[in-house]
Amino acid sequence: MDGESSGGPLKRRRTEPFAGTDRLSKLDDVALGHILSFLPAKEAARAAVLSPRWRHVFAAVHTVSLDEPEGTDNDDDNSRGGCDSPSDRRQRRHHRQPPIFPSAVSAAIIARQRRRGAAPLRALRVAMERYRGSDSTMVDQWVLYAVQQAAPSGLDLDLRIWCRRMLCERPYALREGNHQAGPEPDMFYPPLHSSPSPTVDDVGSQSDDEDDDERDRRHEECIAPRLLCDPPEYIVPRLLFSCAELRSLSLSSCRLAPPRTVTLPSLVTLLLSHVPDASTVMERLVCGCPRLADLTLEVCKAVTTLTVLGGGRLRRLALRCCHNLATVTIDPSELRTFEYRGAVPDNVSFLTMHGGTRSIAYCKVDLCGAEATSEAELTNLRHLLHLFVNAKHLHVESDRLGSGLHKDVTTRFASFSGLRHLEMRGCLPTSDTGTIDATRRVLEHAPNLEVLSLAFHPQKSPLEHASGVCHEADYIPEEELDALHHLGYNPDSVLATPIAMIPCLRSKVKEINLVHYHGGTAQRALAKFLLCNAPAVDKLWFEFAEGPHFA
């Protein structure tokens, strides 16, 4: 019987040319190492158990990335926020086990060296949730290894100590009535009790003959008044500041202490977060980076002045929550992006740009802390915004949507003739009456605007206003959750429809985006104002906020 059988047509088995073969394992080590470099180091190392072929492939990985999981139980120090208690040190002085995460980083580095001819290192990225002073030796070894094994094409070093520290301790705060919001407490460094107590310097000045137990007892008395211990500080090795291959450097909660001469000829990107060094140290570091194009400073409390001149290579500058920063002087000839987060500057000369700002395409101004309401604050805010009249994309964020731009001050509003995309973020309380006027005023001075994006911050509940922190789901009855959503929706209410002859709305604006929209009275009034005066819009985007029963 040809072609058929009693059971039906004869099925011919197809032979696939690569059936049963492992084509991935046939690649050379360089290709496999490049593929594994896109995975976290822990996942890449697991490939060694696939087969004998993969046993030494990790040596070809050129990027090592390790992020300490949140809440990792390294040792008993977790309950103290990473500080060594003197009483615990006495018990564990001779029995301390190495912490889990730092040992894992060292193991990953050693695994690359098991085979001769390991691939040059292109990137080392380590994020530690907790750091102890005793970890400094291991961290020094990581930095030394990265510098010695740096690839000729460039090295990216990202070392974040206390990686989950709060960016800023100044939350957005609307001012209601005559209430003036005071300075917020530092969330990481709690205040001392008023009673005097011994200092660390007093403890360190004692005689070297004092035994360890007595020294620990005195140190315990020194730190006892604090609610939390000061976090240990890691000092970066000086050899890092002469690494010719270093291309990108990100440091968090580290002290720099660079040498007098910094030589980083290849450094393009620099990010410093929670760095305690002073302004002179920062400027010395910047001066030693002739190719620096991207600079970010976050919560650098000791920095009061910043000067970046010479060469004109800086293309992006971000200043976030450096609340003691008083003056900034830069060469913006190549600058494309500027970001600022902090309070309204105290003076109009806060930012000096030599040569104009025509090259800046994107500007973000994020005002944290208490709402700006005084004439001096609003005047300084306008002076800051006027520096970026040529920007194509302007992003303004504050506690209240509109940032008080509707109020009349002595400084007239400039014309943002180059603006194409305006993005404003902030809270819009149900009783707000000034945001429409603020939006109108900005739109009247942006004749060529094409895209308008408004994002609404959630309005705080009374419990949040009282404590600053809200855990509503823990103790608020379910029947009260609807009231906390602040909808205030009345289907029988009639909203006025103000007609405004705004040129950009009438003919230029093609796209309007409303994000976290929940339909409160003020939001509906603003949406109606925009839609009734924008006949040229061809794209409308609504993203609704999560309700109280969102699952």
Side-chain angles (χ1 to χ4, degrees), residues 486-544:
H486 302 284
L487 278 176
Y489 178 72
N490 182 1
D492 299 325
S493 63
V494 178
L495 298 176
T497 309
I499 302 300
M501 300 301 295
I502 302 176
C504 70
L505 273 184
R506 288 288 175 182
S507 60
K508 294 289 187 178
V509 175
K510 304 297 183 183
E511 178 180 340
I512 295 179
N513 304 302
L514 301 178
V515 182
H516 299 157
Y517 181 85
H518 62 60
T521 302
Q523 291 187 8
R524 289 191 294 124
L526 179 59
K528 188 172 184 179
F529 164 74
L530 294 174
L531 298 180
C532 290
N533 293 281
V537 169
D538 56 16
K539 184 178 179 180
L540 179 63
W541 173 266
F542 275 82
E543 179 181 314
F544 293 97

Side-chain angles (χ1 to χ4, degrees), residues 44-268:
R46 289 176 177 174
V49 302
L50 294 177
S51 69
R53 167 70 182 87
W54 292 76
R55 184 170 301 166
H56 301 290
V57 170
F58 191 76
V61 170
H62 55 68
T63 298
V64 178
S65 301
L66 285 157
D67 190 346
E68 185 172 7
E70 187 172 0
T72 301
D73 188 14
N74 280 344
D75 52 32
D76 293 339
D77 295 336
N78 284 342
S79 60
R80 295 177 297 278
C83 299
D84 285 332
S85 170
S87 59
D88 288 342
R89 286 204 306 271
R90 287 194 295 268
Q91 297 176 7
R92 301 177 302 174
R93 183 171 289 117
H94 303 293
H95 304 284
R96 176 175 293 170
Q97 298 296 325
I100 298 174
F101 180 74
S103 299
V105 178
S106 298
I109 291 175
I110 293 173
R112 294 186 76 253
Q113 298 301 105
R114 287 178 179 173
R115 192 175 182 181
R116 291 185 178 181
L121 191 65
R122 298 184 189 178
L124 175 63
R125 305 186 182 102
V126 179
M128 300 180 67
E129 184 182 11
R130 289 175 174 85
Y131 170 80
R132 304 178 310 174
S134 57
D135 297 331
S136 61
T137 301
M138 273 192 287
V139 180
D140 286 345
Q141 291 174 351
W142 306 342
V143 176
L144 177 62
Y145 175 82
V147 171
Q148 293 177 341
Q149 301 296 322
S153 59
L155 170 67
D156 296 351
L157 179 60
D158 187 342
L159 180 59
R160 299 176 185 265
I161 309 295
W162 301 99
C163 59
R164 292 179 178 86
R165 286 182 71 172
M166 183 183 297
L167 176 62
C168 180
E169 68 275 8
R170 298 185 181 183
Y172 298 112
L174 291 176
R175 286 179 176 173
E176 300 180 0
N178 295 323
H179 172 68
Q180 300 292 325
E184 297 291 333
D186 192 311
M187 301 300 290
F188 203 87
Y189 301 96
L192 292 173
H193 291 297
S194 57
S195 58
S197 60
T199 64
V200 176
D201 294 335
D202 294 336
V203 175
S205 63
Q206 301 300 316
S207 171
D208 293 337
D209 296 334
E210 187 178 41
D211 60 23
D212 290 340
D213 290 343
E214 179 62 19
R215 189 183 302 273
D216 286 343
R217 185 189 64 79
R218 293 180 61 84
H219 185 78
E220 190 168 14
E221 292 177 357
C222 169
I223 67 173
R226 292 187 180 271
L227 300 178
L228 291 174
C229 299
D230 288 344
E233 189 176 85
Y234 174 69
I235 302 178
V236 180
R238 289 196 166 193
L239 60 88
L240 180 65
F241 300 102
S242 59
C243 179
E245 293 81 13
L246 190 60
R247 181 181 59 188
S248 175
L249 178 62
S250 298
L251 297 175
S252 175
S253 301
C254 301
R255 180 174 291 276
L256 302 179
R260 292 185 177 180
T261 302
V262 177
T263 308
L264 297 173
S266 302
L267 192 68
V268 175

